[in-house]
């Protein structure tokens, strides 16, 4: 008895080969026949849009003539093919004459779009073939494979977008609409507020596509600051925020959030030593936190490829508005380049973070360590741009560089004007492409591991709007 063998079928893509060839021949023949036909398809078709190698050669000859502003007809195309040494390859002048005679320009633009669709299908098949082969190799970095696959598919999409040049009036109208939206206090925020009025007054919040570096020596409170900003964005402004914590676990991050939100000493929370009133406060004030759109990933030694893959998914599924990384020096470049020293690796990471911010159209905040040169310097030991650790490219890639400085950390009891340094902090804006550079006074509340406005723990919504011009739904900075 013969085994039941199902006959194989060629993919639909290849079954339609002759149909695609006919479409390609019709479009090329129409371009040669009708002098204005090229202008209707030149923004749609590229050389690699064609499947038939002969048609690729003919279209390249047409584009060469167009570039030289020479007429496009049977004689000029044939001569151009002859100059390129490809006339015999395409079937001679008789083949060019044949496709021109059998063509029609009635639906040439529609035919061109169908050709592009088949080209996209072919490219997808090629990508998936490569992915399938690499997926079987034990040496393949699967995160790198996913990242490169997404990148290749996105390049296909971007490469086939039909971008028409708008008229100036349309550009003016769009620009005016953007200005109106930014001036309308009821409009949706285009930037992510930090929730600190004094800081947002200068920066306007964290801007989309920008890379913001917040740097300090260990123990200054970098993580406490970004956790405070994360809390403000997610709870007060209801914006989805992602935190990639390479140093602390998700549970440790949550303890900090709970301490700040419930105003309970963080040490008590860690030990579980809460009295009755504190337990009541804990349960009554955590409703906002439990429903806040906060996403914490605590993967250690995260590579830039893993970060990009996870960030894209969070953007796709949760539409995150801001990404925070704690901290840059704990990341790895993965397989971006082999044989790099540490400085080159940090440079590759900072460039990739800036690229990610532009790709996802969100602000990316990355914490960074400062070099020990701060400690050896005399005076008040205020940090400066040259103190950025391991790579000057961080300063170059960043749109904003801010230093967190607490003189109390260096046993400095008072400032020059006599102000006590107990709980005193400054956010030094050392670089700001979108605005000025100033020093912002802040208050560090150590037992709650959080930052607040310098002049008071509570800021009303009205005061926040007056100081920053940013409208919020309820309260501003509940500190």
């Amino acid at each position: 008895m013969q085994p039941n063998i199902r006959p194989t079928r060629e993919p639909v893509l290849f079954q339609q080969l002759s149909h695609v060839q006919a479409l390609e021949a019709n479009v090329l023949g129409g371009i040669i026949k009708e002098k204005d036909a090229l202008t209707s398809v030149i923004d749609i078709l590229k050389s690699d849009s064609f499947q038939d190698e002969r048609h690729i050669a003919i279209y390249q000859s047409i584009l060469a003539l167009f570039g030289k502003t020479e007429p496009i007809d049977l004689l000029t195309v044939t001569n151009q093919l002859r100059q390129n040494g490809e006339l015999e390859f395409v079937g001679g002048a008789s083949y060019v004459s044949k496709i021109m005679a059998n063509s029609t320009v009635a639906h040439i633009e529609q035919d061109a779009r169908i050709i592009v669709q088949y080209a996209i299908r072919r490219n997808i098949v090629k990508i998936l073939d490569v992915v399938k082969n690499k997926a079987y190799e034990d040496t393949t970095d699967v995160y790198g494979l996913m990242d490169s696959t997404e990148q290749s598919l996105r390049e296909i999409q971007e490469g086939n977008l039909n971008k028409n040049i708008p008229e100036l009036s349309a550009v003016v109208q769009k620009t005016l609409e953007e200005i109106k939206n930014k001036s309308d206090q009821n409009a949706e925020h285009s930037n992510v507020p930090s929730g600190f009025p004094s800081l947002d007054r200068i920066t306007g919040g964290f801007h989309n596509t920008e890379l913001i570096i917040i740097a300090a020596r260990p123990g200054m409170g970098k993580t406490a600051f970004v956790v405070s900003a994360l809390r403000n964005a997610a709870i007060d402004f209801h914006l989805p925020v992602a935190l990639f914590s390479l140093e602390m676990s998700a549970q440790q991050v949550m303890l900090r959030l709970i301490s700040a939100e419930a105003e309970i000493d963080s040490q008590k929370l860690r030990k579980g030593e809460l009295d009755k009133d504190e337990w009541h406060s804990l349960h009554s004030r955590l409703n906002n936190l439990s429903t806040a759109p906060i996403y914490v990933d605590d993967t250690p030694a995260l590579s830039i490829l893993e970060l990009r893959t996870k960030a894209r998914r969070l953007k796709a599924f949760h539409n995150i508005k801001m990404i925070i990384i704690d901290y840059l020096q704990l990341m790895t470049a993965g397989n971006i380049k082999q044989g790099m020293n540490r400085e080159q690796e940090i440079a590759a990471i900072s460039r990739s973070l800036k690229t990610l911010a532009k790709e996802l159209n969100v602000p990316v905040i990355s914490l960074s360590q400062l070099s020990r040169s701060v400690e050896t310097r005399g005076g008040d030991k205020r940090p400066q741009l040259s103190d950025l650790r391991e790579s000057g490219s961080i300063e170059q890639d960043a749109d904003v560089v801010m230093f967190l400085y607490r003189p109390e950390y260096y046993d400095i009891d008072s400032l020059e004007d006599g102000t006590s340094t107990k709980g005193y902090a400054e956010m030094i804006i050392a670089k700001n492409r979108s605005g000025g550079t100033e020093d912002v006074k802040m208050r560090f509340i150590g037992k709650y591991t959080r930052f607040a406005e310098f002049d008071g723990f509570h800021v009303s919504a009205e005061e926040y709007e007056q100081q920053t011009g940013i409208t919020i739904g309820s309260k501003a900075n509940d500190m």
Side-chain angles (χ1 to χ4, degrees), residues 72-122:
I72 298 169
D73 53 35
L74 178 60
L75 179 61
T76 58
V77 172
T78 302
N79 285 336
Q80 185 65 46
L81 284 166
R82 184 179 292 109
Q83 291 177 18
N84 296 343
E86 295 178 321
L87 183 58
E88 292 186 8
F89 170 73
V90 302
S94 60
Y95 181 73
V96 181
S97 176
K98 176 183 175 182
I99 63 173
M100 185 188 74
N102 296 333
S103 66
T104 174
V105 296
H107 306 289
I108 191 170
E109 185 174 340
Q110 182 179 354
D111 290 347
R113 296 188 186 280
I114 295 173
I115 291 170
V116 170
Q117 289 177 24
Y118 277 105
I120 293 172
R121 294 185 188 187
R122 291 195 303 274

Side-chain angles (χ1 to χ4, degrees), residues 10-210:
E10 288 185 332
V12 175
L13 179 64
F14 300 108
Q15 287 182 355
Q16 301 294 333
L17 178 62
S18 59
H19 173 60
V20 178
Q21 284 181 319
L23 283 173
E24 293 177 358
N26 182 68
V27 169
L28 292 172
I31 293 172
I32 297 170
K33 177 186 289 187
E34 175 59 53
K35 64 177 182 178
D36 295 326
L38 180 61
T39 57
S40 62
V41 299
I42 194 169
D43 288 335
I44 303 172
L45 292 173
K46 294 184 288 188
S47 296
D48 57 5
S49 300
F50 293 90
Q51 181 170 277
D52 193 313
E53 295 287 341
R54 298 172 300 171
H55 297 161
I56 293 175
I58 294 172
Y59 191 63
Q60 288 176 338
S61 296
I62 290 172
L63 292 179
L65 291 169
F66 180 77
K68 295 184 289 186
T69 65
E70 294 184 9
I72 298 169
D73 53 35
L74 178 60
L75 179 61
T76 58
V77 172
T78 302
N79 285 336
Q80 185 65 46
L81 284 166
R82 184 179 292 109
Q83 291 177 18
N84 296 343
E86 295 178 321
L87 183 58
E88 292 186 8
F89 170 73
V90 302
S94 60
Y95 181 73
V96 181
S97 176
K98 176 183 175 182
I99 63 173
M100 185 188 74
N102 296 333
S103 66
T104 174
V105 296
H107 306 289
I108 191 170
E109 185 174 340
Q110 182 179 354
D111 290 347
R113 296 188 186 280
I114 295 173
I115 291 170
V116 170
Q117 289 177 24
Y118 277 105
I120 293 172
R121 294 185 188 187
R122 291 195 303 274
N123 288 330
I124 291 174
V125 170
K126 290 177 183 177
I127 291 171
L128 295 181
D129 282 342
V130 172
V131 172
K132 180 180 69 174
N133 293 332
K134 288 187 176 181
Y136 283 114
E137 297 176 3
D138 293 336
T139 57
T140 297
D141 180 348
V142 292
Y143 294 107
L145 181 60
M146 287 191 295
D147 185 77
S148 62
T149 303
E150 289 183 4
Q151 180 69 25
S152 298
L153 291 173
R154 189 164 51 255
E155 287 174 358
I156 292 176
Q157 182 183 26
E158 293 172 353
N160 289 280
L161 289 176
N162 185 18
K163 298 181 180 178
N164 295 320
I165 301 175
E167 294 182 359
L168 182 60
S169 59
V171 177
V172 172
Q173 183 62 32
K174 186 176 181 180
T175 305
L176 289 175
E177 289 175 359
E178 290 180 358
I179 295 172
K180 182 179 182 300
N181 288 337
K182 288 182 179 180
S183 64
D184 186 356
Q185 291 188 340
N186 295 319
E188 183 180 355
H189 310 298
S190 59
N191 303 327
V192 179
S194 71
F196 300 105
S198 299
L199 181 61
D200 288 342
R201 176 179 55 81
I202 300 169
T203 64
F206 301 121
H207 296 246
N208 293 337
T209 75
E210 285 192 345

Side-chain angles (χ1 to χ4, degrees), residues 216-218 327 369-378 381 383 386-390 409-410:
R217 288 294 294 157
Y327 59 91
Q369 294 281 26
L370 291 177
S371 67
R372 287 191 174 90
S373 59
V374 179
E375 312 289 346
T376 59
R377 198 161 51 231
K381 303 184 186 299
S386 59
D387 296 324
L388 285 170
R389 184 177 173 183
E390 291 181 306
Y409 178 86
Y410 296 111

Side-chain angles (χ1 to χ4, degrees), residues 223-237:
T223 302
F225 173 80
V226 292
V227 168
S228 297
L230 174 146
R231 177 256 170 225
N232 296 342
I235 294 179
D236 292 339
F237 298 94

